[in-house]
Amino acid sequence: MKTPLTEIPLTPTNVVIPTQTFTPAHIPETIPIEDGPLKESVIAAGDYLARQQLANGELSYQVNFLSGERAYSPSTIRLIEGTGSLFTVCRVSGEIRFCNAGNLALEHYLEFLVSDPGKFKGTCLYTEGACQLSGSALTVDAIYKRWQATSIFFLKDQNLLNTAMNLGYFIVSMRKPDGGFYHAFDPHYAGTANPDYYLAFSSSEALLALLELYEMTGNEFWLKQAREVNAYMTTQPLTEDHWHGHAFRMMSRLDKLNKMDLTYAVDIANTIIAGQVRSLDPRNTSGSTAAKIEALASIAQSLFLSGEEHEWLDPEIGAFIDFVGARQLPKNNCNWDISNDMIMKYGGGIFSSCEDASIRIDSLHHWINGATAYLEYQSVIKVR
């Protein structure tokens, strides 16, 4: 839920940030996945994103594939999420064209970055009249996914590792004394944070970004921040938080999960499963269901890497995969007649529901992330 920005002179928590020095880039650790229909579906979703991309790098935010209407108010934050997905598809497919599309998009959206050392620490992504915590976190995520796909941080003459760390410094500066985050900051005039602005999942997106910075740099500073943030978040009310699921997966691989973490992860999974009947209703959206796949697949891998029972999640994940897969064109579970022209234009896209023929970038992003996380989980349990 969003609340309007207000002019409240509130300075973000002061956190001692290390002096930026040259940090040698690490080599990304990636998980190979097997060929098969689900992998092909991920590639088809990426192919849709690349085909719909404009020459300036902008991605398609939303289109009704039955009418061709593109009326919308675009969210730059969701578009930067989609940019990261292109790099995931590049890694999964091994096809450079997806990385080229991702580079073009990333260059476009990096133009929204703002720095002003006199007013705030680091760099933020400025959209919708403010620097939202989500924007900076998801820009780090896009850079991380590019690094996973290419092992390279330079984009023309820009060092993306430095960019990611500067975004991380902004994220850390937004921490509250209680361990959480402010979710929005107005960089104009003296610079103010808004204590009343709240956006679901912003804190867990920031947590994931901190862990990604730790993996990219090897600097313990980022891991320390992530541990503190996670300790606070596991005391908060439960939601179907797919981003926290991703963070648990990374923590189980890079660090470790304690008993409270594992209990909280299982509780997230059970919260999602408890709503399964409603989630599989034909009226419900593909995007929200794909996000459930992200959460459950990530938590399953976390449990496995922590030596806990994980098999009970597999049939639940499979049910959600079947549900979303039935809405990836040219498939549809709404008894619509899909023409060849529609397939040429929109094939690989995932429409929202039988009551809404819109293809939105967030549905594709969640599907690419979720299906890939599940395929990686399957690979990990086979190898170990």
Side-chain angles (χ1 to χ4, degrees):
M1 175 182 176
K2 294 184 180 180
T3 56
L5 285 173
T6 54
E7 297 297 327
I8 297 177
L10 180 65
T11 303
T13 305
N14 289 322
V15 178
V16 177
I17 292 173
T19 303
Q20 185 168 330
T21 57
F22 174 75
T23 303
H26 289 196
I27 301 299
E29 178 184 332
T30 58
I31 302 170
I33 59 178
E34 294 183 357
D35 293 337
L38 190 55
K39 179 178 176 179
E40 292 171 4
S41 175
V42 169
I43 297 170
D47 193 58
Y48 169 85
L49 286 174
R51 290 199 323 274
Q52 295 284 325
Q53 187 176 31
L54 298 181
N56 70 346
E58 185 173 348
L59 299 177
S60 172
Y61 180 73
Q62 176 177 307
V63 62
N64 184 307
F65 80 91
L66 293 179
S67 68
E69 183 181 5
R70 293 184 183 270
Y72 64 96
S73 298
S75 163
T76 302
I77 290 176
R78 285 185 174 141
L79 291 165
I80 200 73
E81 282 183 312
T83 300
S85 296
L86 280 168
F87 293 118
T88 296
V89 178
C90 179
R91 174 170 63 87
V92 168
S93 67
E95 297 183 35
I96 193 64
R97 64 190 178 97
F98 293 113
C99 278
N100 291 338
N103 286 337
L104 189 62
L106 189 58
E107 282 187 88
H108 177 73
Y109 296 115
L110 288 179
E111 294 177 4
F112 293 88
L113 295 184
V114 174
S115 298
D116 190 342
K119 296 179 182 176
F120 62 94
K121 293 185 174 84
T123 299
C124 65
L125 185 78
Y126 184 80
T127 61
E128 301 177 41
C131 287
Q132 298 179 42
L133 182 67
S134 287
S136 295
L138 293 170
T139 305
V140 172
D141 184 62
I143 292 170
Y144 173 82
K145 287 184 166 78
R146 182 181 187 269
W147 173 66
Q148 281 190 308
T150 67
S151 303
I152 297 171
F153 282 115
F154 280 91
L155 179 59
K156 294 184 177 178
D157 60 349
Q158 183 169 0
N159 185 332
L160 295 179
L161 182 58
N162 286 341
T163 301
M165 288 191 291
N166 283 326
L167 289 161
Y169 298 148
F170 172 77
I171 291 169
V172 169
S173 76
M174 292 289 281
R175 287 191 58 193
K176 292 182 177 181
D178 66 3
F181 287 102
Y182 298 114
H183 287 187
F185 180 85
D186 182 356
H188 292 97
Y189 189 51
T192 55
N194 185 348
D196 299 319
Y197 184 94
Y198 173 79
L199 191 62
F201 310 133
S202 282
S203 294
S204 49
E205 290 162 348
L207 170 60
L208 180 64
L210 293 170
L211 290 165
E212 291 171 340
L213 282 162
Y214 171 62
E215 184 174 0
M216 288 189 286
T217 65
N219 190 330
E220 293 283 333
F221 168 77
W222 303 112
L223 180 59
K224 179 178 181 294
Q225 295 293 320
R227 285 171 174 162
E228 292 174 0
V229 170
N230 184 63
Y232 167 79
M233 291 183 63
T234 53
T235 65
Q236 299 306 296
L238 282 163
T239 63
E240 297 186 9
D241 193 341
H242 54 287
W243 288 107
H244 205 166
H246 283 297
F248 280 137
R249 174 173 50 85
M250 286 198 70
M251 289 189 76
S252 64
R253 182 168 59 84
L254 300 175
D255 191 29
K256 62 181 180 180
L257 300 181
N258 60 35
K259 289 183 179 180
M260 182 177 290
D261 297 331
L262 292 166
T263 298
Y264 198 82
V266 169
D267 287 345
I268 291 175
N270 283 326
T271 299
I272 292 170
I273 293 168
Q276 180 169 355
V277 174
R278 294 187 299 278
S279 299
L280 297 178
D281 189 292
R283 294 169 295 180
N284 284 356
T285 66
S286 300
S288 61
T289 306
K292 300 175 195 298
I293 300 168
E294 288 186 80
L296 294 182
S298 296
I299 290 169
Q301 188 178 145
S302 302
L303 296 176
F304 172 75
L305 293 175
S306 302
E308 302 290 328
E309 292 294 325
H310 58 93
E311 297 90 346
W312 57 279
L313 286 170
D314 198 82
E316 308 293 346
I317 300 169
F320 290 123
I321 286 175
D322 290 343
F323 174 78
V324 180
R327 293 183 177 177
Q328 184 173 36
L329 298 173
K331 294 178 182 177
N332 81 90
N333 60 349
C334 305
N335 297 317
W336 290 329
D337 291 327
I338 307 297
S339 68
N340 289 332
D341 183 56
M342 289 178 181
I343 295 171
M344 288 291 293
K345 289 180 180 178
Y346 306 117
I350 296 171
F351 64 90
S352 183
S353 72
C354 296
E355 298 178 352
D356 181 2
S358 295
I359 300 171
R360 288 170 53 109
I361 197 162
D362 43 329
S363 295
L364 291 155
H365 164 75
H366 292 313
W367 176 246
I368 290 168
N369 265 7
T372 300
Y374 180 65
L375 288 168
E376 290 176 340
Y377 160 66
Q378 287 189 315
S379 293
V380 167
I381 61 177
K382 286 180 181 177
V383 170
R384 300 195 184 188

